[in-house]
Amino acid sequence: SVGNYVGSRTVKKIFPVNKHIIATMAGGAADCAHWIRLLARRVAIIEEQYSTKLLVKGVAMLLTAQLRDFKGTDISVGSMVAGMDQSGFSIYYVDSDAACVEGDIFCVGSGANLAYSILDAKVFSDSDSESDCGDYSVLKTLSADDAAELALEAIRAATHRDAFSGGFINVFHIDKSGVQHIINRDAKEVNISKKL
């Protein structure tokens, strides 16, 4: 999108960085594509030169370092860097203001608040039965299939209510064997939950 103009709803929004790490894009498509592709090239060079695999944290910090010099300019990058390394799975939020934050769950882009509403309602434990609020420090354990369906529902909710979200919903699963693309569906073909 550019301002109020949406150029394409079929833009690829997830880029492989290496076999076990991906980066997503939200913001300016050209900005994100440039910086994430540059990141993937740098990661490949570093990993080949030093015969090692970078940690997800290292990849997120490398993207942050690339963007830091352009903080305050007109570039628009919001990304989730997610993957599996020897310490397990991790996910980071990185943006063009040089933020680099590790977390359990992130939603990025104009429909993020709508997606968060679905995730918050279904991912966090209700540890205190007397409280109306769930415990936002305790994540429920979900199977890979349940997590994929929840991601599909959250993204569909965002595409339904946000004019700048939409197109195809892509869900990826990352484990020790690498990154697998498990869902690619047109948002219009995904039924909206009766609970929404």
Side-chain angles (χ1 to χ4, degrees), residues 60-61 63-72 75 77-78 93-101:
M61 291 175 69
L63 179 56
T64 304
Q66 288 179 179
L67 295 170
R68 187 171 288 118
D69 289 340
F70 297 90
K71 182 177 178 177
I75 68 168
V77 176
Y93 168 75
V94 177
D95 67 21
S96 46
D97 287 331
C100 183
V101 181

Side-chain angles (χ1 to χ4, degrees), residues 155-178:
I155 297 167
R156 178 58 179 118
T159 66
H160 181 66
R161 296 284 185 209
D162 178 59
F164 301 105
S165 297
F168 283 80
I169 299 172
N170 291 284
V171 178
F172 288 73
H173 177 80
I174 305 170
D175 60 18
K176 292 177 183 176
S177 64

Side-chain angles (χ1 to χ4, degrees), residues 71-94:
K71 182 177 178 177
T73 66
D74 288 337
I75 68 168
S76 176
V77 176
S79 181
M80 292 181 287
V81 176
M84 181 76 83
D85 56 35
Q86 55 265 38
S87 61
F89 178 82
S90 57
I91 184 169
Y92 292 82
Y93 168 75
V94 177

Side-chain angles (χ1 to χ4, degrees), residues 125-136:
S125 290
D126 297 321
S127 60
D128 182 2
S129 59
E130 295 180 16
S131 171
D132 291 334
C133 299
D135 183 349
Y136 286 96

Side-chain angles (χ1 to χ4, degrees), residues 136-155:
Y136 286 96
S137 64
V138 181
L139 290 170
K140 291 180 183 176
T141 302
L142 299 174
S143 69
D145 289 340
D146 288 343
E149 285 301 315
L150 181 56
L152 188 68
E153 182 179 349
I155 297 167

